Amino acid sequence: MRFPALALAASALAFVNPVAAKPAKPDPVPPADTAWRILEDLTTEIGPRIAGSDREAAARDWAVARLKALGFSNPRIEPFTLRGFVRGAETARILAPYPQPLAITALGYSVPTPAGGIEAELVYFASLDALKAAPERSLKGKIAFIDHAMKANQDGSAYGPSGAVRRQGPRIASQKGALAVVIRSVGTDSHRNPHTGNTAFGDATPIPAGAVSLPDAEQIARIAAKGQPVRLALTLTGYPQDNMPSGNVLAELPGRDPGLPPVLVACHLDSWDLGTGAFDDAAGCAIVTAAALRAQQGGKPLRTIRVLWAGSEEIGVFGGAAYGQAHAGEPHALAMESDFGADRVYGLRTSFARTNPALRDRLVAALAPMGVVDYGADARGGADIGAIVEAQKLPVIDLMQDGTRYFDLHHTPDDTLDKVDRAQFEQNVAVWAATLKIVANEARPLAGAKQD
Amino acid sequence: MRFPALALAASALAFVNPVAAKPAKPDPVPPADTAWRILEDLTTEIGPRIAGSDREAAARDWAVARLKALGFSNPRIEPFTLRGFVRGAETARILAPYPQPLAITALGYSVPTPAGGIEAELVYFASLDALKAAPERSLKGKIAFIDHAMKANQDGSAYGPSGAVRRQGPRIASQKGALAVVIRSVGTDSHRNPHTGNTAFGDATPIPAGAVSLPDAEQIARIAAKGQPVRLALTLTGYPQDNMPSGNVLAELPGRDPGLPPVLVACHLDSWDLGTGAFDDAAGCAIVTAAALRAQQGGKPLRTIRVLWAGSEEIGVFGGAAYGQAHAGEPHALAMESDFGADRVYGLRTSFARTNPALRDRLVAALAPMGVVDYGADARGGADIGAIVEAQKLPVIDLMQDGTRYFDLHHTPDDTLDKVDRAQFEQNVAVWAATLKIVANEARPLAGAKQD
């Protein structure tokens, strides 16, 4: 692992001039419900806040005001634009052999059907591989249905392979001539709430693309299994739109040594529009922000902590890319992100377990009383810190959240405040605060001297 | 308890001419998955089947064909008409202070808003009693919101008091001058799926009436608690419609003594339109029908078992009333109904515990191995047998189902096949079959000699 020259220079300075010894003015203790208030107020006062919308803009203003009220320095918006998605009417109905409505939602970057919809034969595929095996042009004039199932697991690792149906399925269906595509939602619940999420067509012709809820997918499977041709009526009038306004919100809690590179803690401010984005990702913003404040207790840390409430994560990680570009020239000490709901942290992964085992060991010892155990060196970071981590080869820490029920709620109307288990949510804040207390007080480069 | 003269005469005949001794031709054993096939096929091949609709008509034809295929005698439709409800567009949106959409559905017998909807101030009431306490005419030009909560319980007894918000709330809001009314769904889940159900206005002016999901109700409560005026945009274009066609489906498994009054087992064929009516009440039809067939095993019972798949239960119990009227002149031995989902039977209530304790004891002994215990003499029957039970003062047996999660699903889009726990569902069939085997082989009047 390489470490940016500028960051090394700045942290070397810290050894020459040990500001760690300077007495710090104790900060006022933030209220115990700081995290909950961020979570509840953002989801209540703003609600759904899809990337590029006026509600996302309202959320940015809300965030700046809240961060200011919480005592953060210089809360500010860094604007950018994105290719977004404007949701429209969305209905689906089986016409034959057994007429009945389906619960459907459009995928991001779907293109619209005519306002009156389309009617076509549905072709059933049990999996993404089954679709891939379909002969070229075999879907001409037809609607592909991909019934690719996902299983819940604690670490969310099923999202890679299972999410491929949403990320690749529509493109592949288009390449085989499909008029439109419907997928089984990428999710693990059993409610009539479809899961949205973005898709991409690459060089293929964009086609209308939607997801039905899991009970509806099972219903389609049962109907298709009866062996008669299945006809579907589909209306999805949402469409992609270029040059929509978005932005990142940044603010800092200055450390005692302004010359040291800051610790970057991130979340994303935008949500999908179907729910109020409590799990995804108001909880993350609440956790990292309240933890940054709590890490000030008992003495301001050495390093500045910067919070990044990224915009437009859901539709293409535009906020993370914009941050990476805008801040490429600034050194960072470490980056972390909370974007996997609000259930308890059970594991710790660091990118520096081999190069700085002493720091890893201190973290493991500090987090063990909260039920967090070491999961090794394969830390991955998160979407919004991805660009800056990649550009600067930053050290990262993953505080691994229990994702067993994350994909019950992910990108659905059901992602609402009532789903948050407050005890688990507060455990996140405590784990993050303990972690930040350690890393923000570390004067030396966090990745250590030994480089892989 | 009185007993109809004709029934007494017929069963007295049975003692004179003991057909019980006549050797019966053994019936073929019905497949073990008979109940599941009814449940799965009705919910898949018909799906939603609201009273008065063409889908309910399709369900009647489906039912006749299925009962015939299962070997029932004389499956037939007894038509009637009803005042039904035609669902329309339904949207709600908070305009101020925090703009966001709400998940809403119209209540049955709501009258329509203009197609473009209405906008008005929302007035928050924490309970039905709070609404009742509002001054007369205080709601003029406003939309009443009633945030009346329901708790889950095993026997469903909370539905009486909690359901009052839906049955009475709209009328009371209208009487106080409200432009429209929105209630917290009568339910116990935490999903963005509102619960529909019928309301009634009596002599009050009908107004548009809807229910929001429970997470949305909590959101409205949080927003109202902020103290600023709440403005709502509401569009509910559904409307009541007179003279819609419906009907009951009846069929019999003849007993060895056609002179004895039959045992009536009922369920309802219609469902609300939001889901496929798996719990409410395809499961009930599957249970009573499969159990009636299973009770034929080991020898045809003495008494005929008649199945009644009632139409239009959800909107005013029109099917039950029609049955009561059409069959008022025929004696019945006993009536039972299954209409509380598909979870396990845990209790037995009989109306004849005091007048025929010997029969009650035989039932208790037979059901105990299946985990069913005696719950006394307060048997209530069910909606669709209500008219005939009342008219003829019939004995009834309640096989009490665990309703802990019934009101999670009741009248929502989530009432779908995947919610049925097959083991519990099959326990219902076994309990019903054992019960029918006993009562249908009882030659004497089931209420016994001792009358209360």
Side-chain angles (χ1 to χ4, degrees):
Chain A
M1 182 178 277
R2 291 177 298 116
F3 208 77
L6 189 56
L8 283 167
S11 42
L13 184 69
F15 287 101
V16 175
N17 177 15
V19 283
K22 200 165 70 177
K25 184 181 73 175
D27 273 4
V29 175
D33 67 347
T34 297
W36 186 263
R37 290 256 55 87
I38 295 170
L39 171 63
E40 177 175 324
D41 293 348
L42 176 56
T43 55
T44 302
E45 298 177 10
I46 301 299
R49 47 197 182 279
I50 191 172
S53 69
D54 57 353
R55 296 310 293 161
E56 196 200 20
R60 286 193 292 279
D61 294 340
W62 184 97
V64 166
R66 178 59 57 105
L67 289 165
K68 187 175 176 187
L70 288 170
F72 279 78
S73 291
N74 193 24
R76 60 202 182 274
I77 296 168
E78 296 184 347
F80 57 84
T81 60
L82 80 152
R83 178 171 170 80
F85 179 73
V86 180
R87 194 170 298 281
E90 31 198 40
T91 64
R93 185 170 178 81
I94 291 176
L95 298 170
Y98 308 125
Q100 55 193 282
L102 300 171
I104 196 166
T105 196
L107 300 179
Y109 290 168
S110 169
V111 293
T113 63
I118 56 173
E119 295 183 7
E121 186 181 340
L122 178 148
V123 184
Y124 178 90
F125 297 99
S127 67
L128 188 59
D129 280 345
L131 173 69
K132 288 176 181 170
E136 294 306 310
R137 290 205 281 236
S138 61
L139 298 179
K140 199 163 163 52
K142 296 177 179 176
I143 299 173
F145 173 67
I146 321 171
D147 192 21
H148 196 94
M150 178 180 188
K151 291 290 177 196
N153 51 19
Q154 190 179 27
D155 69 358
S157 54
Y159 189 47
S162 297
V165 67
R166 192 188 74 223
R167 294 186 296 267
Q168 303 171 22
R171 173 179 54 78
I172 297 168
S174 169
Q175 286 165 341
K176 293 178 188 285
L179 194 60
V181 59
V182 175
I183 65 168
R184 176 188 174 107
S185 280
V186 178
T188 53
D189 62 297
S190 60
H191 300 287
R192 298 289 299 287
N193 290 316
H195 298 234
T196 188
N198 243 38
T199 189
F201 291 95
D203 292 337
T205 306
I207 55 176
V212 291
S213 83
L214 280 77
D216 289 86
E218 293 179 10
Q219 184 80 326
I220 293 170
R222 279 188 293 269
I223 290 172
K226 301 270 184 181
Q228 297 179 60
V230 179
R231 278 190 72 78
L232 192 72
L234 181 68
T235 303
L236 296 171
T237 65
Y239 54 90
Q241 184 162 303
D242 286 321
N243 293 313
M244 298 184 86
S246 187
N248 292 323
V249 176
L250 279 74
E252 284 91 14
L253 292 172
R256 282 175 285 133
D257 186 351
L260 281 177
V263 171
L264 178 66
V265 295
C267 62
H268 65 84
L269 180 56
D270 66 308
S271 75
W272 275 105
D273 53 337
L274 304 179
T276 63
F279 252 54
D280 189 11
D281 183 30
C285 291
I287 290 164
V288 305
T289 305
L293 286 165
R294 198 175 297 178
Q296 310 298 309
Q297 291 176 31
K300 194 183 275 296
L302 201 55
R303 292 181 191 266
T304 293
I305 300 175
R306 173 181 290 171
V307 297
L308 165 61
W309 294 20
S312 301
E313 189 270 350
E314 296 294 3
I315 303 187
V317 199
F318 288 91
Y323 182 89
Q325 198 157 26
H327 299 270
E330 299 168 30
H332 295 74
L334 172 96
M336 299 175 63
E337 180 155 4
S338 177
D339 182 20
F340 199 48
D343 282 342
R344 76 185 174 93
V345 176
Y346 68 93
L348 164 77
R349 274 190 309 232
T350 65
S351 64
F352 47 78
R354 285 185 288 270
T355 56
N356 194 352
L359 179 59
R360 189 269 322 269
D361 290 349
R362 285 168 56 207
L363 291 166
V364 170
L367 304 189
M370 290 178 278
V372 180
V373 300
D374 183 31
Y375 268 75
D378 186 26
R380 296 166 196 182
D384 300 294
I385 59 173
I388 195 73
V389 165
E390 173 62 22
Q392 301 190 348
K393 306 299 175 200
L394 292 181
V396 296
I397 296 173
D398 295 343
L399 295 174
M400 302 162 70
Q401 293 172 284
D402 188 337
T404 308
R405 66 189 185 117
Y406 186 71
F407 292 102
D408 290 354
L409 307 170
H410 182 247
H411 298 186
T412 74
D414 260 341
D415 184 0
T416 49
L417 182 64
D418 53 291
K419 307 309 182 304
V420 178
D421 175 320
R422 193 157 174 173
Q424 294 194 66
F425 172 70
E426 295 293 350
Q427 185 257 18
N428 272 265
V429 179
V431 170
W432 270 79
T435 302
L436 290 178
K437 195 81 185 166
I438 291 171
V439 296
N441 276 305
E442 177 61 52
R444 291 160 295 189
L446 298 174
K450 279 192 287 182
Q451 304 285 320
D452 275 338
Chain B
M1 182 177 276
R2 291 178 296 115
F3 207 77
L6 190 56
L8 282 167
S11 42
L13 184 70
F15 286 101
V16 175
N17 177 13
V19 284
K22 199 167 70 178
K25 185 182 74 178
D27 273 4
V29 175
D33 68 346
T34 297
W36 187 263
R37 289 257 56 88
I38 294 170
L39 171 64
E40 176 175 325
D41 292 348
L42 175 57
T43 55
T44 302
E45 297 177 11
I46 302 297
R49 47 197 182 278
I50 191 172
S53 69
D54 58 352
R55 296 310 292 161
E56 196 200 19
R60 286 193 292 280
D61 293 341
W62 183 97
V64 166
R66 178 59 56 104
L67 288 165
K68 186 175 177 189
L70 287 170
F72 279 78
S73 291
N74 193 23
R76 60 202 181 274
I77 295 169
E78 295 184 347
F80 57 85
T81 61
L82 82 152
R83 178 171 169 81
F85 179 73
V86 180
R87 195 169 297 282
E90 32 198 40
T91 64
R93 186 171 178 80
I94 292 175
L95 298 170
Y98 307 124
Q100 54 194 283
L102 300 171
I104 196 166
T105 196
L107 300 180
Y109 290 169
S110 169
V111 293
T113 63
I118 57 173
E119 295 183 8
E121 187 182 337
L122 177 147
V123 184
Y124 178 88
F125 296 100
S127 67
L128 188 58
D129 280 344
L131 172 68
K132 287 177 181 170
E136 294 305 310
R137 290 204 282 234
S138 62
L139 298 179
K140 199 162 161 55
K142 295 176 178 176
I143 298 172
F145 173 67
I146 322 171
D147 192 21
H148 196 94
M150 179 181 187
K151 292 290 177 194
N153 53 18
Q154 191 179 25
D155 68 359
S157 53
Y159 190 47
S162 298
V165 67
R166 193 188 73 224
R167 294 187 295 266
Q168 303 171 22
R171 172 177 56 78
I172 297 167
S174 169
Q175 285 165 342
K176 293 178 188 286
L179 194 61
V181 58
V182 175
I183 66 168
R184 175 188 175 106
S185 281
V186 178
T188 54
D189 61 297
S190 60
H191 299 288
R192 298 289 298 287
N193 289 318
H195 298 235
T196 190
N198 244 37
T199 190
F201 289 96
D203 292 336
T205 306
I207 56 177
V212 292
S213 82
L214 279 77
D216 289 86
E218 293 179 10
Q219 184 80 326
I220 293 171
R222 279 190 293 270
I223 291 172
K226 301 271 185 181
Q228 298 179 59
V230 179
R231 279 191 72 78
L232 193 72
L234 182 67
T235 302
L236 295 172
T237 66
Y239 54 90
Q241 184 162 303
D242 286 320
N243 294 314
M244 298 184 85
S246 187
N248 292 323
V249 176
L250 279 72
E252 284 91 14
L253 293 171
R256 282 175 284 133
D257 185 350
L260 281 178
V263 170
L264 177 67
V265 296
C267 62
H268 66 85
L269 180 57
D270 66 309
S271 75
W272 275 103
D273 53 338
L274 304 178
T276 62
F279 253 53
D280 189 11
D281 183 31
C285 291
I287 289 164
V288 305
T289 305
L293 286 165
R294 198 174 299 177
Q296 311 298 310
Q297 292 176 32
K300 195 183 275 298
L302 200 55
R303 292 182 190 268
T304 293
I305 299 175
R306 173 182 288 172
V307 297
L308 164 61
W309 293 21
S312 301
E313 189 271 349
E314 295 293 4
I315 303 188
V317 199
F318 288 91
Y323 182 89
Q325 198 158 26
H327 299 271
E330 298 169 30
H332 295 76
L334 173 95
M336 300 175 63
E337 179 155 5
S338 178
D339 182 19
F340 200 47
D343 283 341
R344 74 185 176 92
V345 176
Y346 68 92
L348 164 77
R349 273 191 309 232
T350 64
S351 64
F352 48 78
R354 284 185 289 271
T355 56
N356 194 354
L359 180 58
R360 188 268 323 267
D361 290 348
R362 284 167 57 205
L363 290 166
V364 169
L367 304 189
M370 290 178 278
V372 180
V373 298
D374 184 29
Y375 268 75
D378 185 26
R380 296 165 194 180
D384 299 296
I385 59 173
I388 194 73
V389 165
E390 173 62 22
Q392 302 191 347
K393 307 299 175 200
L394 292 182
V396 296
I397 296 173
D398 294 343
L399 295 174
M400 301 162 69
Q401 292 173 285
D402 188 336
T404 307
R405 67 188 184 116
Y406 185 71
F407 292 102
D408 289 356
L409 308 170
H410 181 247
H411 298 187
T412 74
D414 260 340
D415 183 0
T416 48
L417 181 66
D418 52 292
K419 307 307 183 305
V420 178
D421 176 320
R422 193 159 175 172
Q424 295 194 66
F425 171 70
E426 295 292 352
Q427 185 259 16
N428 273 266
V429 179
V431 170
W432 270 78
T435 302
L436 291 178
K437 195 81 184 166
I438 291 172
V439 296
N441 276 305
E442 176 61 53
R444 292 160 295 188
L446 298 175
K450 281 192 288 182
Q451 304 285 321
D452 276 336

